[in-house]
Amino acid sequence: MTGGRSGAIGGVEWQTSLLAKWFAARGWRVSMLTWDEGGPPEEVIDGVRVIKICRRDAGLPGLRFFHPKWTGLVRAMRAADADVYYQNCGECVTGQMALWCRRSSRPFVFSAASDADCDPHLPELRTRRERVLYRYGLRQADRVIVQTLTQQRRMRECFGRDAVVIPMPCPGPGDGQFQLPSPQTERVLWIGRVRPVKRPDRFLDLAAACPELQFDLVGPLFQDDCCQMIQRRAVTLSNLTVHGPVPRDRLGAVYQRAAVLCCTSDYEGFPNTFLEAWSYGLPIVSTFDPDGLIASRQLGVVVKDVAEMAQAIRALLSSPDRYRQMSENARRYYLQNHTLEVVMPRFEALFREVAAQVRERRAES
């Protein structure tokens, strides 16, 4: 189960689906709980049992939170009858799942999706109900997983929870398909959800500041104020192409056309786009640096604002030797830390451990 408000498929949902399919292929009985967006109430996809909770807009306003959403979640969790329940991204569902697991003596594992889940102000949770339920779920979780050492420290300082760091998995090109990128393409890529916290407006400012370069913005566009502003400004920039959403099976070609990935966010967790870019050997120029990895491992350049971003990109693209070194560093870091072969066994070991501990507690009681 993954959290979040938008309903769009992003890094959290993609990584959770990777986990589900990998475990199913290993012989685990895997169920995934989702909103009902059509089709039968249950179906099996790639070996994973998909159980629909209800439609996101089902029920009466003011009451739908309790029925059919909460009651549907309980029904789906009961139907899954799992040995371990896993949820990614802090929200009210964190507490709802933890409560059911506690009453049913089932282990619950929570995974933080971003730094916002480790912030005591919980900036992504707008209502008191969401914040109360999330804090409860965090307290009751049998294990908490985070993506970075910074998140681990913040979980301990701000919520009194010990957490285990497990990098997120990311499939990428094998050695036979991999080619080092070239700075000569002079294409700068931005990819993600077009949301205010991602600051896509900075990317447009960057395109305006660097008319000699080409810029590609990839991500779903909705009818909210942020997306409409981006679309209005984009038509005034001849060197910017807004692609909208790109199917996952075509994303590889998008990364291969680029010379640099650009991140303009105020905060993140450990963006899936970073892992994908590094799997293709792309350096990253970013306002956000998880655990200081970009700077310390020379995987790109960390900047504070658009002016520094423009300077860093120009310097990198005009320095072939430095570019090649960062590209090789990026690919090496990905292979050592984020392939499915490296990451998935760590999740499997944790799930086995927590399931065994809960079984022992049951036996003792």
Side-chain angles (χ1 to χ4, degrees), residues 6 20 36 57 62 72 116 130 152 174 195 210 230 234 239 317 336 345 347:
S6 70
D36 185 355
D57 59 355
E130 288 176 309
Q152 184 185 53
R195 301 176 56 209
C210 302
I230 293 298
N239 61 335
L317 297 185
Q336 292 174 349
F347 276 95

Side-chain angles (χ1 to χ4, degrees), residues 21-253:
K21 288 186 283 189
W22 187 88
F23 275 95
R26 293 268 294 177
W28 287 65
R29 180 173 56 87
V30 181
S31 300
M32 180 174 286
L33 313 186
T34 72
W35 295 118
D36 185 355
E37 297 182 352
E42 288 192 23
E43 53 188 320
V44 177
I45 302 174
D46 294 329
V48 178
R49 180 188 180 196
V50 178
I51 304 174
K52 317 290 178 63
I53 298 172
C54 66
R55 291 193 60 83
R56 186 183 287 267
D57 59 355
L60 298 173
L63 297 177
R64 63 169 58 108
F65 174 80
F66 299 99
H67 179 75
K69 287 187 173 182
W70 197 332
T71 56
L73 175 63
V74 168
R75 174 192 55 78
M77 293 181 70
R78 188 179 296 119
D81 191 27
D83 294 318
V84 178
Y85 288 81
Y86 169 81
Q87 190 254 339
N88 192 322
C89 187
E91 62 159 348
C92 60
V93 171
T94 310
Q96 292 169 323
M97 291 186 68
L99 178 61
W100 185 88
C101 287
R102 182 174 178 81
R103 290 181 172 179
S104 304
S105 299
R106 304 294 178 94
F108 173 61
V109 177
F110 170 72
S111 182
S114 79
D115 285 5
D117 290 341
C118 310
D119 186 330
H121 299 102
L122 301 176
E124 293 290 289
L125 303 184
R126 302 172 191 170
T127 68
R128 183 175 182 273
R129 179 172 65 192
E130 288 176 309
R131 293 189 291 272
V132 168
L133 280 169
Y134 171 62
R135 289 177 182 275
Y136 171 82
L138 201 56
R139 289 195 304 271
Q140 297 300 326
D142 293 278
R143 291 289 187 282
V144 175
I145 298 172
V146 293
Q147 301 176 58
T148 66
L149 294 171
T150 299
Q151 291 176 357
Q152 184 185 53
R153 175 178 56 79
R154 294 281 283 170
M155 273 291 181
R156 186 180 301 113
E157 292 175 352
C158 302
F159 297 98
R161 280 303 319 243
D162 289 327
V164 59
V165 178
I166 302 182
M168 286 294 113
C170 179
D175 290 338
Q177 295 78 40
F178 174 74
Q179 289 185 332
L180 279 174
S182 170
Q184 295 178 352
T185 63
E186 296 188 339
R187 300 197 75 91
V188 181
L189 174 64
W190 188 100
I191 182 167
R193 296 181 182 180
V194 182
R195 301 176 56 209
V197 71
K198 302 282 188 180
R199 295 302 303 270
D201 57 298
R202 289 173 176 159
F203 189 66
L204 271 62
D205 293 341
L206 180 64
C210 302
E212 76 279 12
L213 302 177
Q214 294 297 311
F215 293 82
D216 296 287
L217 189 149
V218 175
L221 294 161
F222 301 103
Q223 296 303 311
D224 57 65
D225 292 342
C226 177
C227 291
Q228 291 186 14
M229 179 274 291
I230 293 298
Q231 292 180 86
R232 285 195 302 269
R233 283 196 60 194
V235 299
T236 68
L237 297 166
S238 60
N239 61 335
L240 172 68
T241 302
V242 177
H243 297 268
V246 172
R248 184 155 290 278
D249 59 3
R250 289 172 46 201
L251 277 180

Side-chain angles (χ1 to χ4, degrees), residues 256-294:
Q256 287 173 324
R257 284 197 303 267
V260 173
L261 178 73
C262 185
C263 172
T264 54
S265 297
D266 285 334
Y267 59 81
E268 288 278 358
F270 203 132
N272 206 55
T273 53
F274 283 23
L275 311 184
E276 291 169 345
W278 289 332
S279 78
Y280 286 94
L282 279 186
I284 296 174
V285 175
S286 177
T287 53
F288 175 84
D289 188 2
D291 275 350
L293 285 170
I294 296 176

